[in-house]
Amino acid sequence: MTIEKKEQEHRLHDLKNVNGPVVMRMAPSPSGPLHLGHSRMAILNDEYVKRYGGQLILRIEDTNPQNIDPVAYTMIPEDLKWLNVNVTQIVIQSDRFELYYEKARELIRKRAAYMCTCEVDTFKELLMAGQACPHRDIEPESNLEKFQEVVDGKNRDASPVLIIKTDIAHPNPSVRDWIAFRRIKGTHPRTGNKYSFYPMMNFSVAIDDHELGLTHVIRGSDHISNTEKQKYIFNYFGWKIPEYFHYGNISIPDSILKTSIIKKGIKEGIYSGWDDVKLQTICSMARRGYQPETFRKYWIDSGLREVNAEFSWDIFNSINRQFIDSGADRYFFVKNPVPIKIADSPEVMSRIPKYQGKPERGFREYMIKASSELFITREDLENIKDGEKIRLKDLFNVRYNEGTFRFSEIEPSKEKIKIIHWCPSESKPFKVERPDGSFDEGVLEPQGIERNGIFQFERYGFVKKVSGEFGIYIHN
RNA sequence: GCUCCGAUGGUGUAGUCCGGUCAAGCAUAUCGGCCUUUCGAGCCGACGACCCGGGUCCAAAUCCCGGUCGGAGCACCA
């Protein structure tokens, strides 16, 4: 009997209620460029649109002028392009304020929304007690008037809000009569000072999800109660509610993802910019040598569950390794180099394959003079025992005795001995930046100097080489 | 305060909706071996899991109830 292993490909589960093409969206706020966490929703949405056909809308949610960094308007589409996410339409919410106002007026006329000028604390207290605020039953005409006044920017001193009527006794207090618009001070990067009464995310999202014809919305579990709130809008208008799926949040260890912290860090010089190696922004990870395919495979493999999970750098790096390994020629980089002299060695030509098992890729060749000086890492030197024989990879064997290396033989030993890498004396200084911002300093073999790109430095790790003297560590 | 969700090996997951093909798949980690020279890449192999209790059923990782544990979110950010 032969046991056949069934090859199981990781596959995202199907979406519910798919009838024909889907319309989906991703909706980042433009507080900065996209990061690793964002890439998940982008790729997952993209995968489903690829599966079913349809539209993928990028909707930039810039309805809070205090939370916008203008660079995001250009960086977000670039990040998505790099991730190979196929956006079919871009919608910017700040283009649509008039639409939101119009829908708000309709809701006021339906007695589904009202203007309120209660103090924040008073309003909250009433809500917690399940009591209506005195403004709740004011006639639509009066509300429309007040709404228009605020939209027109009159009565600057008060802090009016537009509230959506839901259920004042709803078991979840946060679902009870929620705020749809509030006044925000500050200049909007795209609309300037034209508007000051801004829609809350729950309002603009509900309107746009309908107006843009969304069929399926997948988003984080942090939106569960928002979905409930937004459904009130759909019901007031009699709109068809999209199919929602809420996935669990992924916590990404050892990462800095909060744009506010990143911006502060950039200002203070802790980070060199959005693409600083210490950050997990898409632009940084791209610069560091991560591949777009890695993001996609990782997120598909992780699946789409309602449970929260933890991101695994081990697995992510392992996937990336699969994508970069075959393209990465090997070179010797000796970190913390120590020059050693080999006694009694003959002149030898060392011929090292650029890629093990693929001679067609070529060789690195070095003529090593008799009794030459070479570099090895301090770590290797410290670990050599007196009397030990070791192999200098693709060169010859040496024996270490009382502080001196003596040539032993060219042919590889039959017995197992330690194999270490080395660099010829004419190697050049080279620096590698680590993901924590520290630097490894050493020497790189001469033939590795000219070429830039992704390489594996043997026994060290994969490095994205950006110049003749500098590279960025990717992972081992 | 309230609402919601989940529990599969060290880690990340597939399977759970529609119970049998699951004596549980994949990946990663670890360990071992192999590449007639990478301790760190690659290839091969091994190890290793269905939270607990009860119920339904011929049959439960899968359905129901209880418990325990864990997580998340919300109240003028998105």
Side-chain angles (χ1 to χ4, degrees):
Chain A
M1 190 178 87
T2 52
I3 298 161
E4 277 186 44
K5 272 191 182 172
K6 37 182 175 176
E7 281 295 320
Q8 280 197 355
E9 188 102 358
H10 274 266
R11 187 171 192 271
L12 263 13
H13 64 65
D14 277 312
L15 257 21
K16 286 180 182 164
N17 292 321
V18 175
N19 312 296
V22 295
V23 181
M24 300 184 70
R25 48 84 162 173
M26 70 195 83
S29 69
S31 53
L34 262 29
H35 57 62
L36 177 54
H38 292 117
S39 70
R40 183 176 186 223
M41 59 127 178
I43 284 165
L44 259 22
N45 274 290
D46 189 49
E47 280 294 312
Y48 280 119
V49 173
K50 281 198 171 95
R51 180 182 301 180
Y52 299 117
Q55 302 276 314
L56 179 59
I57 297 166
L58 166 63
R59 189 173 68 210
I60 296 182
E61 308 207 324
D62 56 345
T63 54
N64 182 354
Q66 294 180 340
N67 189 26
I68 297 172
D69 187 323
V71 298
Y73 292 105
T74 50
M75 289 184 82
I76 289 173
E78 281 168 16
D79 291 338
L80 291 170
K81 195 174 172 210
W82 184 81
L83 287 166
N84 292 316
V85 168
N86 183 29
V87 171
T88 57
Q89 189 189 351
I90 298 179
V91 172
I92 301 178
Q93 288 193 314
S94 57
D95 288 338
R96 302 161 71 82
F97 288 133
E98 298 299 338
L99 167 70
Y100 306 136
Y101 289 153
E102 193 42 50
K103 292 299 170 188
R105 290 188 194 99
E106 283 181 39
L107 287 171
I108 293 171
R109 284 186 210 106
K110 286 174 190 282
R111 293 179 180 273
Y114 59 96
M115 293 297 289
C116 170
T117 48
C118 289
E119 289 292 320
V120 177
D121 293 342
T122 320
F123 181 77
K124 275 188 183 169
E125 269 172 44
L126 287 168
L127 218 54
M128 289 308 289
Q131 287 167 15
C133 103
H135 307 95
R136 199 173 199 255
D137 295 317
I138 292 174
E139 288 303 305
E141 292 73 35
S142 168
N143 272 319
L144 280 171
E145 233 171 79
K146 274 192 233 167
F147 180 79
Q148 199 54 45
E149 274 179 22
V150 178
V151 167
D152 291 342
K154 290 177 188 153
N155 192 9
R156 282 272 169 188
D157 302 325
S159 44
V161 290
L162 181 77
I163 292 172
I164 302 298
K165 274 189 205 174
T166 63
D167 178 355
I168 203 71
H170 195 282
N172 183 349
S174 76
V175 177
R176 295 173 193 165
D177 285 27
W178 52 268
I179 315 265
F181 283 80
R182 81 298 198 203
R183 190 127 73 187
I184 299 177
K185 292 189 180 103
T187 304
H188 192 289
R190 294 185 76 251
T191 58
N193 295 313
K194 187 174 176 191
Y195 303 100
S196 65
F197 203 39
Y198 288 96
M200 297 282 294
M201 167 267 191
N202 273 316
F203 186 83
S204 49
V205 162
I207 301 299
D208 280 339
D209 280 353
H210 169 76
E211 293 288 323
L212 301 170
L214 273 290
T215 60
H216 294 75
V217 175
I218 58 175
R219 53 179 174 179
S221 59
D222 46 328
H223 286 289
I224 287 174
S225 55
N226 289 327
T227 299
E228 202 175 342
K229 294 180 197 183
Q230 291 163 22
K231 280 181 180 170
Y232 280 90
I233 305 278
F234 281 84
N235 290 331
Y236 282 130
F237 285 113
W239 293 338
K240 187 175 185 302
I241 294 173
E243 187 70 33
Y244 291 97
F245 182 86
H246 297 98
Y247 52 76
N249 291 318
I250 300 271
S251 66
I252 302 176
D254 307 315
S255 66
I256 304 126
L257 303 174
K258 280 192 90 92
T259 43
S260 54
I261 294 174
I262 298 174
K263 284 173 87 162
K264 191 163 170 273
I266 293 174
K267 200 172 277 175
E268 291 170 358
I270 298 168
Y271 307 125
S272 58
W274 289 107
D275 64 353
D276 188 288
V277 294
K278 296 187 282 303
L279 301 173
Q280 291 72 37
T281 52
I282 301 298
C283 51
S284 162
M285 294 180 73
R287 188 168 77 91
R288 276 179 58 194
Y290 284 105
Q291 304 299 300
E293 295 83 1
T294 303
F295 289 77
R296 192 165 292 265
K297 182 161 169 33
Y298 184 86
W299 292 127
I300 292 172
D301 281 2
S302 299
L304 191 53
R305 312 207 303 162
E306 292 171 74
V307 225
N308 300 318
E310 185 159 311
F311 181 87
S312 165
W313 284 104
D314 272 353
I315 293 176
F316 192 79
N317 287 342
S318 162
I319 292 171
N320 199 59
R321 196 147 50 219
Q322 289 164 26
F323 288 114
I324 62 176
D325 179 71
S326 63
D329 283 345
R330 272 93 233 253
Y331 287 105
F332 285 162
F333 165 72
V334 170
K335 174 181 142 182
N336 299 329
V338 180
I340 58 166
K341 204 145 175 93
I342 312 294
D344 304 332
S345 70
E347 185 171 87
V348 175
M349 165 76 107
S350 174
R351 199 160 180 264
I352 319 167
K354 284 182 178 162
Y355 191 90
Q356 177 80 301
K358 293 239 162 114
E360 64 273 24
R361 289 233 207 156
F363 293 83
R364 304 115 73 188
E365 295 179 337
Y366 298 104
M367 185 59 77
I368 305 300
K369 292 196 176 66
S371 301
S372 172
E373 195 172 77
L374 303 170
F375 292 106
I376 65 169
T377 72
R378 192 169 64 216
E379 199 191 355
D380 281 336
L381 180 63
E382 285 167 356
N383 286 322
I384 294 171
K385 296 177 197 76
D386 197 54
E388 187 179 2
K389 185 155 92 171
I390 58 167
R391 176 76 181 175
L392 296 173
K393 186 173 181 286
D394 297 297
L395 187 60
F396 46 58
N397 297 337
V398 293
R399 191 177 291 279
Y400 183 70
N401 261 323
E402 290 164 4
T404 49
F405 287 91
R406 196 164 295 278
F407 173 79
S408 179
E409 64 268 307
I410 291 179
E411 300 73 32
S413 303
K414 294 239 171 30
E415 74 269 36
K416 267 213 136 132
I417 58 171
K418 190 191 280 182
I419 300 162
I420 66 169
H421 67 295
W422 50 276
C423 268
S425 55
E426 65 272 26
S427 297
K428 297 284 187 296
F430 195 82
K431 243 172 129 169
V432 178
E433 186 172 16
R434 311 275 311 187
D436 64 1
S438 67
F439 291 89
D440 281 343
E441 300 194 36
V443 292
L444 181 63
E445 62 173 277
Q447 291 180 26
I449 299 294
E450 290 296 306
R451 304 173 62 201
N452 288 326
I454 292 174
F455 302 102
Q456 191 206 49
F457 290 174
E458 295 195 37
R459 300 212 301 142
Y460 176 75
F462 288 91
V463 169
K464 181 159 171 184
K465 199 168 157 289
V466 297
S467 76
E469 59 275 350
F470 176 68
I472 302 170
Y473 186 84
I474 309 173
H475 45 65
N476 65 10

